[in-house]
Amino acid sequence: MICCARCGLEYPSDTKIWRCTCKGELEYQNQHKDNIPPPEGLALRPHSIWRYREVLPRLEDEDIVTLGEGCTPCVTAKWHGFPVWFKLDFLCPTGSYKDRGVSVMISHLKQMGVRSIVEDSSGNAGASVAAYAARAGMECTIFVPSDTSPAKLAQIRAYGAKIKAIDGTRQDVAEACQKAVEEDGSGETFYASHNWNPFFLEGMKTLAYEIWEECARSEMIPDWVVVPAGYGSCALGAYRGFLDLVNQGRLSQIPKLIIVQAENCAPIYHAYLRGEARVAPVRGTGTAAEGIACSNPIRGTEVLRAARKSDGLVMAVSEEEINSAAVKLAKDGIFVEPTSAVVGAALGRLIDSGVILENDIALGILTGIGLKAGTLTHSSGIF
Ligand SMILES: [Zn+2]
């Protein structure tokens, strides 16, 4: 069943809608969810997010569209003098963590018989949706901001998707895409928006399951988990996954979530700083962290609530901090896009200011590979 987060209206899971009639965002209520086995019971499962089948939406085997997403490595690093962990989630099949959610979203759309989709994206999600649509045999059109990194556009095109480049902000791109769906009178094309789709978020929960499985083997669970946030799917997915694990008795408590935005576009941070309950839109300016340049996050208020409920915090980092963290990560062999470098920047500041202590276990999730952002990092003077 899917349920509107705003008015509570319920719909069957196979209803072809992307938001409620009240314009509220939808949530998936998994009525078939079973408890996950202990780590030793998972050893022989597939090496992908589908190893956590009990907690994912129920799908027939033939509808699952997978490229082996997830099961990404965690590596240690010395960061500002302290040992930390980085989860290299940019090693998913299309070079970003988005593949987790997209695999679940496209599988669900396949099960519903959807043959044609459109999506708007700042680049990485578009590439991911294009890849999984290609694998599912769906027609796909991706709306992108006209200043999207050329390598991301080339990747989307390579998978066979059509590209519509829109001048304007990320919000303008989303609105242009929604308008195109409304104007398509056939009703054949589905708006497969990773930011609106509730099944996408279900896939993002696997981040938490993986961290738990990896750490349970060494009997270490992180005190802090650091994530970048634009629309906040990484933060919300991790929070909900950890919450599931606590409810199942697999974890004693949720790690403190550190949610990081770019100073130049930080609506969630502004609400956090002012002690507000709701996130209001901001007018963002440019940032090298293009993947999180979101001025009006759909589930922003819930992301803010997740930070507070986990006893964590929301931060915003400067362009200088982002550049310097990207360089520092690369010098340690880890090449990520500026959007991911915000995690390193936040960790650095929290270590330097004594919030993270030497014996704390801190894990940063690195979401996007550096290879696609070459023009961007060059024009920003990072590399
Ligand atoms: Zn509603």
Side-chain angles (χ1 to χ4, degrees):
M1 180 183 298
I2 44 180
C3 171
C4 174
R6 195 180 293 178
C7 75
L9 199 60
E10 291 175 347
Y11 304 85
S13 294
D14 57 356
T15 313
K16 285 185 186 166
I17 48 168
W18 59 274
R19 66 177 174 191
C20 180
T21 49
C22 81
K23 298 191 176 175
E25 67 276 16
L26 300 167
E27 297 288 345
Y28 175 63
Q29 317 258 320
N30 193 342
Q31 288 151 321
H32 307 288
K33 198 160 59 175
D34 289 320
N35 283 358
I36 205 88
E40 55 273 22
L42 293 163
L44 298 176
R45 299 272 185 102
H47 199 68
S48 77
I49 60 163
W50 297 98
R51 69 199 277 108
Y52 310 114
R53 194 86 178 256
E54 288 91 343
V55 294
L56 291 173
R58 184 171 282 193
L59 290 157
E60 300 299 330
D61 286 351
E62 64 265 26
D63 290 324
I64 291 178
V65 185
T66 179
L67 287 160
E69 54 293 316
C71 290
T72 54
C74 288
V75 298
T76 52
K78 193 131 196 160
W79 199 253
H80 289 235
F82 280 14
V84 298
W85 288 87
F86 287 118
K87 184 164 176 63
L88 310 186
D89 223 41
F90 57 84
L91 294 176
C92 279
T94 73
S96 92
Y97 79 106
K98 297 266 167 63
D99 294 344
R100 298 173 178 278
V102 170
S103 175
V104 177
M105 176 176 81
I106 296 289
S107 299
H108 177 249
L109 295 179
K110 188 180 174 197
Q111 189 174 52
M112 288 202 299
V114 170
R115 305 288 310 149
S116 169
I117 57 173
V118 293
E119 146 85 321
D120 53 84
S121 160
S122 59
N124 276 333
S128 182
V129 168
Y132 284 80
R135 202 161 171 84
M138 291 177 192
E139 269 183 40
C140 177
T141 303
I142 308 289
F143 285 65
V144 294
S146 48
D147 57 355
T148 298
S149 287
K152 291 179 181 175
L153 296 178
Q155 189 185 13
I156 293 169
R157 216 173 275 125
Y159 294 128
K162 293 192 197 91
I163 291 176
K164 289 251 166 41
I166 304 292
D167 291 328
T169 64
R170 182 67 188 78
Q171 189 64 26
D172 295 332
V173 178
E175 284 167 15
C177 187
Q178 290 159 15
K179 195 157 167 259
V181 177
E182 279 161 25
E183 285 172 358
D184 170 47
S186 71
E188 294 293 313
T189 299
F190 188 79
Y191 180 40
S193 163
H194 68 288
N195 291 316
W196 283 94
N197 189 282
F199 294 89
F200 176 85
L201 264 184
E202 291 298 300
M204 297 312 306
K205 284 185 185 177
T206 58
L207 268 171
Y209 281 94
E210 264 177 52
I211 293 169
W212 159 78
E213 191 188 348
E214 169 105 14
C215 297
R217 279 193 218 108
S218 49
E219 294 183 346
M220 281 198 314
I221 293 296
D223 302 293
W224 305 91
V225 170
V226 191
V227 294
Y231 281 90
S233 65
C234 191
L236 264 190
Y239 175 73
R240 291 181 183 181
F242 283 126
L243 192 62
D244 275 359
L245 285 158
V246 169
N247 290 337
Q248 292 177 27
R250 295 275 175 230
L251 265 187
S252 56
Q253 62 178 31
I254 297 173
K256 293 189 268 282
L257 278 183
I258 298 167
I259 291 171
V260 195
Q261 300 211 281
E263 258 174 26
N264 285 357
C265 189
I268 303 170
Y269 172 67
H270 286 301
Y272 174 79
L273 203 62
R274 296 188 195 118
E276 285 163 1
R278 300 196 67 77
V279 172
V282 296
R283 185 181 291 272
T285 53
T287 169
E290 60 176 355
I292 52 170
C294 165
S295 57
N296 187 17
I298 296 157
R299 297 173 209 267
T301 297
E302 217 195 321
V303 176
L304 176 64
R305 206 178 295 138
R308 288 183 175 138
K309 281 195 173 166
S310 74
D311 206 19
L313 48 103
V314 185
M315 292 175 67
V317 292
S318 69
E319 295 301 295
E320 292 71 26
E321 286 176 297
I322 296 169
N323 293 3
S324 132
V327 171
K328 195 169 157 45
L329 280 162
K331 299 275 186 217
D332 200 23
I334 301 173
F335 185 37
V336 294
E337 63 176 340
T339 303
S340 301
V342 302
V343 165
L347 270 170
R349 205 200 286 171
L350 293 172
I351 289 169
D352 292 346
S353 60
V355 176
I356 292 178
L357 304 172
E358 189 158 14
N359 291 327
D360 287 353
I361 299 168
L363 180 145
I365 299 178
L366 301 178
T367 49
I369 201 159
L371 292 173
K372 302 188 212 178
T375 310
L376 178 74
T377 47
H378 185 68
S379 64
S380 324
I382 303 179
F383 296 112

